[in-house]
C-alpha cells in the first residue's frame, strides 16, 4: 500500500523504470524464451522504445540481474557442477574462443582476425544480454527524442600505445578532433550553471543546496571553466551560508588557500614516502589538523577511483584528484601529461559498438563513427551460422580445458551455460577476456600459484544510476549542473555532458528531456580495502530496485525541491546499473605489502599463458582503463602459439 510519502515521490506512478524489477525481466514468457526477438514484438507505451532492446531496458541493469550472474555465482559457491546437466556438443569448432565480450574481448577478436585473416573463425561468449562489458549503453526515448548515457565507463583518452592508436584509428575515433569539434565546453556556464554541493540534514544539520567554490577536481565532470572566475566571491558566500561548523569553515578555507609545508621536518624523499603510505583522511586530521567535519565534507572526492579518502594515499589524492594541502610542500612531481579525453554520449559503448561492427558488419548498419551513434544494433545478427565471428550473449563460460594429444596441447574445449543448458565447443585457442578472479573457476587445472595471483584482483563495486528527466528547469534555476553530495546516498549527481555527435544532440535547453547520472560509492572506513569491496557488493546486491529508486527520488526532491523539482512529475524512468564487479583492483602502499617488500606484482604472475589459453582483460594490466583493456587484448593475441 503506497504511503503519502511514496505518492509525493512518485513511487506509485506507472513510469518505465521497472522492466527489470530487481533484476527479473517484466516481459512475456515468449520474450524470455527468445530474448533477441522480443524487442521486435512489443513497444513500450511510454518511451516508445522496443521492449527487450537491451540498451533501452530500464530497472536493474549493469551486471546486476540474475540471468547475468546466477551461473557465475553458483560456480563460485560450488553449487554448479553437482547439479550441472550433461553438456550438449554444439559440433562447432573455431579458431579462437574469447571469453568476455567487453572492450578487451572484442578487441582480442578484432585483432586476431586482423592479424591472422578475416576468415578465421571466432566465438565471443559473454554472460550478459548485451555486449561491451562495463562499456554498455543506456538509452531512453521521450516521444521522438532519444537520450543516451553510458551505463558504466565513459572517459576515453587518446591512445597512449601504438596498439591503442591503431585500434582507435581503425574505428575512426580521433579523440583530439572530437574533443575540439563536438564538445560544447561553455554550454552550462553560459547558462550561469556550475558545480554545487548538497548538504544533508543527517550529516550537516540542514538540507541545503549551494554553489560550490571548490576548484573542479571531480573525475566526472571536466567540461567547465576551472576554477570558477568568481571563486573568491563564491568562497565568501559559502563561508557565510554553508551549514558547517565555524571551525570546519576556517579549516576548509586555510586548506584551500594556505601554501604551508605541513611536513617541514621531513626531507623531500621522506615526504613522498610518508604521503604515499598515509591516507588523505589521516593527512587532513593528523598532519593538517583539520576539524573532522572537513573530512565529512571531502569524503567522496576520491570516489572516482572507487575508494574513500580514508583508503586513498594522500599523495594520490593530490596527484590524481588535485585535492588541497600540498601547495606549500614544493613537491616536484612529474606533471600529468596533458591529453585529450573524450566522452561519447553513451560513453565507451561507442567503442564496443564500433568493434562489433568491424567483427559483424550486419549487426550495426553504417560505415562511419558518426553514423554509428544513432544506428540500431540488430542483436539477431550477432550469432548467425556461417559468419566468421559470432557473439553469443547470455552465455557464461564455466570451463576451459586444454586438449592434450600425444603429450602436446591441441586446442581448447570450452563449456558454457545458456538458459540452464550446458554446451561444449572447441577451438584452437582461447583468450580469457573475463575477470581475473573468475579464471581459476574455469581452469581448474591451472597451477595453484597462478590461481592465487588471479584471485588477488578483487573488484570495486560501482553503482551508476541513470534517471530520465522530462526537463532540467530546476537545475537551471539553481544554477547547478553537477552536485557533490558528501555523505549522501548518491554522492555525485551529474547532468549529461554537452556533446553533439553524429546526429545526436545533447539536451539544448532546460525545457527538454535529459539524462541525469547518480553515483554511489561503497565505503566501510577502517576495514581492509578488499573487505570494504566485499561488504559493499553485498549491500549493493541486497538493495532492491525500489530502495534505489526511493533514495534517488528523495535526494533529488530534497536538493532541488526548492527550485521546483517534483520527483513524481519530473522523473519518467530509472536505470540502475549495478556493477558488483566494477573497477579492477589497483595497488596502493596502504594495502599491498609487496609494494613495500619489492615483490612481483600479482598481475604479472596471473597473466602467464596456460597452454592454448592466454589472458586479456584490463585486470591483466593491474589497473583498469579502456586503453589497457586494448593493450591486454593485443598482448594475449600475440602470446597465442601456432604449431
Ligand atoms: C562504473 C565504471 C566506470 C568506468 N569508467 C571508466 C572510464 O571512464 N574510463 C575508462 O577507461 N575505464 C573506465 N572503467 C574501467 C573499465 O573496466 C575498463 O576501461 C574496460 O571497459 C574494461 O574492459 P574489459 O573488457 O577489460 O572488462 P569488462 O568490461 O569487465 O568485460 C569483461 C566481460 O567478461 C564477462 N565475463 C566474466 N566472466 C565471464 C564468464 N565466465 N563467461 C562469459 N563472460 C564472462 C563480464 O561479464 C564482462 O562482460 C569503468 C568501470 C566501471 C565499472
Amino acid at each position: 500500500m503506497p504511503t503519502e510519502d511514496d505518492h509525493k515521490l512518485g513511487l506509485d506512478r506507472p513510469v518505465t523504470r521497472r522492466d527489470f524489477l530487481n533484476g527479473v525481466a517484466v516481459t512475456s514468457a515468449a520474450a524470455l524464451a527468445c530474448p533477441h526477438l522480443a524487442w521486435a514484438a512489443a513497444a513500450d507505451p511510454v518511451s516508445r522504445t522496443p521492449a527487450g532492446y537491451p540498451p533501452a531496458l530500464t530497472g536493474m541493469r549493469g551486471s546486476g540481474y540474475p540471468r547475468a550472474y546466477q551461473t557465475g555465482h553458483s560456480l563460485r559457491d560450488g553449487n554448479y557442477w553437482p547439479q550441472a546437466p550433461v553438456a550438449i556438443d554444439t559440433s562447432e569448432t573455431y579458431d579462437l574462443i574469447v571469453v568476455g565480450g567487453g572492450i578487451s574481448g572484442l578487441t582480442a577478436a578484432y585483432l586476431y582476425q586482423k592479424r591472422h585473416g578475416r576468415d578465421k573463425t571466432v566465438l565471443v561468449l559473454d554472460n550478459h544480454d548485451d555486449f561491451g562489458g562495463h562499456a554498455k549503453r543506456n538509452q531512453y526515448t521521450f516521444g521522438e527524442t532519444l537520450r543516451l548515457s553510458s551505463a558504466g565507463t565513459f572517459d576515453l583518452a587518446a591512445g597512449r600505445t601504438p596498439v591503442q592508436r591503431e585500434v582507435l584509428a581503425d574505428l575512426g575515433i580521433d579523440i583530439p578532433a572530437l574533443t575540439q569539434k563536438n564538445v560544447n565546453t561553455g554550454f552550462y556556464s553560459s547558462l550561469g550553471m556550475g558545480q554545487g554541493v548538497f548538504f544533508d540534514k543527517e550529516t550537516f544539520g540542514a538540507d541545503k543546496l549551494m554553489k560550490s567554490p571548490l576548484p573542479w577536481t571531480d573525475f566526472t565532470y571536466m567540461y567547465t571553466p576551472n576554477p570558477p572566475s568568481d571563486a573568491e566571491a563564491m568562497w565568501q558566500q559559502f563561508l557565510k551560508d554553508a551549514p558547517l561548523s565555524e571551525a570546519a569553515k576556517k579549516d576548509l578555507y586555510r586548506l584551500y588557500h594556505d601554501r604551508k609545508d605541513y611536513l617541514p621536518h621531513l626531507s623531500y624523499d621522506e615526504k613522498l614516502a610518508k604521503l604515499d603510505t598515509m591516507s588523505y583522511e589521516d593527512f587532513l586530521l593528523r598532519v593538517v589538523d583539520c576539524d573532522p567535519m572537513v573530512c565529512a565534507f571531502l569524503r567522496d572526492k576520491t570516489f572516482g577511483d572507487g575508494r574513500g579518502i580514508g583508503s586513498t594515499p594522500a599523495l594520490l589524492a593530490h596527484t590524481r584528484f588535485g585535492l588541497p594541502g600540498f601547495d606549500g610542500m614544493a613537491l616536484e612531481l612529474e606533471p600529468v601529461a596533458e591529453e585529450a579525453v573524450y566522452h561519447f554520449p553513451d560513453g565507451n559503448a561507442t567503442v564496443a559498438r564500433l568493434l562489433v561492427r568491424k567483427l559483424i558488419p550486419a549487426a550495426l548498419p553504417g560505415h562511419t563513427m558518426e553514423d554509428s551513434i544513432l544506428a540500431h544494433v540488430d542483436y539477431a545478427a550477432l550469432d548467425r551460422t556461417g559468419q566468421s565471428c559470432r557473439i553469443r550473449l547470455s552465455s557464461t563460460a564455466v570451463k576451459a580445458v586444454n586438449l592434450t594429444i600425444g603429450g602436446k596441447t591441441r586446442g581448447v574445449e570450452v563449456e558454457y551455460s545458456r538458459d540452464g543448458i550446458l554446451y561444449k565447443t572447441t577451438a584452437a585457442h582461447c583468450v580469457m577476456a573475463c575477470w581475473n578472479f573468475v579464471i581459476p573457476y574455469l581452469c581448474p587445472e591451472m597451477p595453484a600459484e597462478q590461481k592465487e595471483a588471479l584471485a588477488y584482483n578483487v573488484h570495486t563495486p560501482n553503482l551508476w544510476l541513470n534517471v530520465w528527466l522530462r526537463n532540467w528547469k530546476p537545475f537551471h534555476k539553481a544554477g547547478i549542473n553537477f552536485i557533490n553530495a558528501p555523505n549522501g546516498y548518491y554522492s555525485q549527481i551529474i547532468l549529461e555532458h554537452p556533446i553533439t555527435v553524429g546526429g545526436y544532440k545533447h539536451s539544448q535547453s532546460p525545457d527538454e528531456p535529459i539524462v541525469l547520472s547518480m553515483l554511489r560509492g561503497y565505503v566501510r572506513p577502517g576495514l581492509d580495502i578488499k573487505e570494504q569491496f566485499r561488504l559493499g557488493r553485498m549491500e549493493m546486491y541486497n538493495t532492491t530496485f525500489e530502495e534505489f529508486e526511493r533514495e534517488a527520488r528523495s535526494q533529488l526532491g530534497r536538493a532541488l525541491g526548492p527550485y521546483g523539482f517534483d520527483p513524481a512529475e519530473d522523473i519518467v524512468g530509472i536505470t540502475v546499473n549495478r556493477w558488483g564487479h566494477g573497477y579492477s583492483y589497483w595497488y596502493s602502499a596502504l594495502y599491498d605489502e609487496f609494494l613495500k617488500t619489492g615483490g612481483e606484482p600479482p598481475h604479472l604472475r596471473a597473466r602467464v599463458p596456460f597452454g592454448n589459453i592466454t589472458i586479456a582483460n584490463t585486470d591483466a594490466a593491474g589497473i583498469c582503463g579502456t586503453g589497457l583493456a586494448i593493450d591486454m587484448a593485443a598482448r594475449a593475441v600475440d602470446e597465442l602459439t601456432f604449431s
Side-chain angles (χ1 to χ4, degrees), residues 139-462:
Q139 66 181 58
Y140 196 92
T141 315
F142 300 74
E144 298 303 315
T145 308
L146 175 72
R147 298 262 60 95
L148 297 176
S149 176
S150 53
T153 154
F154 54 92
D155 262 5
L156 183 61
R160 288 175 196 163
T161 61
V163 73
Q164 290 176 26
R165 289 191 285 276
E166 174 193 343
V167 171
L168 292 182
D170 287 356
L171 300 181
I173 298 175
D174 177 346
I175 304 276
L178 282 167
T179 312
Q180 257 195 352
K181 216 167 71 183
N182 301 142
V183 187
N184 190 349
T185 18
F187 177 67
Y188 289 115
S189 50
S190 71
L191 296 171
M193 299 171 77
Q195 180 182 211
V197 54
F198 176 60
F199 294 97
D200 63 50
K201 63 173 179 285
E202 293 83 350
T203 315
F204 300 101
D207 278 351
K208 194 170 179 78
L209 179 66
M210 298 184 63
K211 289 208 169 200
S212 169
L214 271 48
W216 290 90
T217 53
D218 210 284
F219 71 109
T220 45
Y221 210 87
M222 67 191 74
Y223 302 132
T224 197
N226 188 21
S229 52
D230 49 352
E232 193 47 39
M234 286 170 75
W235 266 109
Q236 293 314 318
Q237 192 68 39
F238 180 84
L239 295 175
K240 192 161 137 295
D241 294 341
L244 294 168
S245 66
E246 286 310 310
K249 286 183 191 177
K250 207 167 129 239
D251 284 349
L252 254 182
Y253 191 81
R254 79 177 162 91
L255 183 67
Y256 274 94
H257 292 83
D258 284 3
R259 297 179 59 83
K260 182 172 169 185
D261 183 351
Y262 292 103
L263 296 168
H265 54 290
L266 297 185
S267 71
Y268 184 77
D269 286 347
E270 286 168 342
K271 263 181 211 161
L272 288 187
K274 178 99 183 153
L275 294 173
D276 199 30
T277 48
M278 77 188 311
S279 73
Y280 185 56
E281 183 171 42
D282 277 349
F283 173 74
L284 292 178
L285 292 175
R286 294 184 221 292
V287 177
V288 186
D289 196 22
C290 283
D291 187 276
M293 207 179 230
V294 170
C295 292
F297 178 70
L298 296 176
R299 185 196 75 155
D300 316 332
K301 290 286 180 191
T302 52
F303 275 12
D305 274 351
R307 303 182 188 186
I309 57 169
S311 304
T312 300
L315 193 60
L316 191 74
H318 172 52
T319 54
R320 172 143 162 78
F321 294 98
L323 287 170
F326 308 91
D327 282 356
M329 293 205 197
L331 300 176
E332 290 157 18
L333 300 168
E334 293 257 314
V336 178
E338 280 286 318
E339 62 175 356
V341 176
Y342 185 69
H343 296 182
F344 283 103
D346 61 356
N348 293 330
T350 286
V351 180
R353 286 160 58 89
L354 290 169
L355 282 164
V356 167
R357 181 193 270 169
K358 285 277 180 202
L359 292 164
I360 308 167
L364 190 71
H367 303 281
T368 63
M369 179 278 291
E370 279 82 5
D371 70 21
S372 79
I373 304 289
L374 295 180
H376 201 81
V377 174
D378 179 358
Y379 282 85
L382 293 178
D383 190 10
R384 283 197 180 123
T385 317
Q387 58 199 27
S388 64
C389 179
R390 301 175 72 167
I391 298 177
R392 194 159 293 164
L393 298 174
S394 302
S395 300
T396 307
V398 290
K399 197 190 267 184
V401 178
N402 281 299
L403 299 172
T404 310
I405 301 172
K408 288 197 169 169
T409 56
R410 294 265 182 257
V412 183
E413 182 176 87
V414 175
E415 295 186 25
Y416 63 92
S417 167
R418 190 168 202 268
D419 295 328
I421 301 172
L422 183 62
Y423 299 93
K424 63 179 174 188
T425 186
T426 55
H429 294 109
C430 175
V431 168
M432 289 285 166
C434 55
W435 304 316
N436 266 7
F437 56 87
V438 168
I439 298 172
Y441 296 102
L442 308 190
C443 302
E445 291 157 4
M446 218 169 222
E449 204 220 351
Q450 186 170 6
K451 284 188 186 166
E452 194 191 327
L454 285 159
Y456 194 90
N457 193 318
V458 176
H459 283 199
T460 312
N462 302 95

Side-chain angles (χ1 to χ4, degrees), residues 62-63 68 71-72 75 98-107 124-128 130-136 150-157 160 219 304 320 341-343 347-348 392-399 414-417 432-439 441-442 459-464 519 577-584 616-620 623-630 632-633:
S63 40
T71 304
L75 199 61
V98 179
V99 177
I103 297 287
S104 202
L106 295 171
T107 305
V124 180
L125 298 170
D126 195 279
N127 55 318
H128 294 96
D130 202 355
F131 55 81
H134 293 149
K136 288 190 177 59
S150 53
T153 154
F154 54 92
D155 262 5
L156 183 61
R160 288 175 196 163
F219 71 109
R320 172 143 162 78
V341 176
Y342 185 69
H343 296 182
N348 293 330
R392 194 159 293 164
L393 298 174
S394 302
S395 300
T396 307
V398 290
K399 197 190 267 184
V414 175
E415 295 186 25
Y416 63 92
S417 167
M432 289 285 166
C434 55
W435 304 316
N436 266 7
F437 56 87
V438 168
I439 298 172
Y441 296 102
L442 308 190
H459 283 199
T460 312
N462 302 95
L463 186 79
W464 187 285
L519 278 53
N577 295 289
R578 288 193 297 186
W579 301 110
H581 303 286
Y583 296 156
S584 194
N617 194 276
T618 188
D619 289 1
I623 192 163
C624 64
T626 305
L628 295 168
I630 292 172
M632 293 302 107

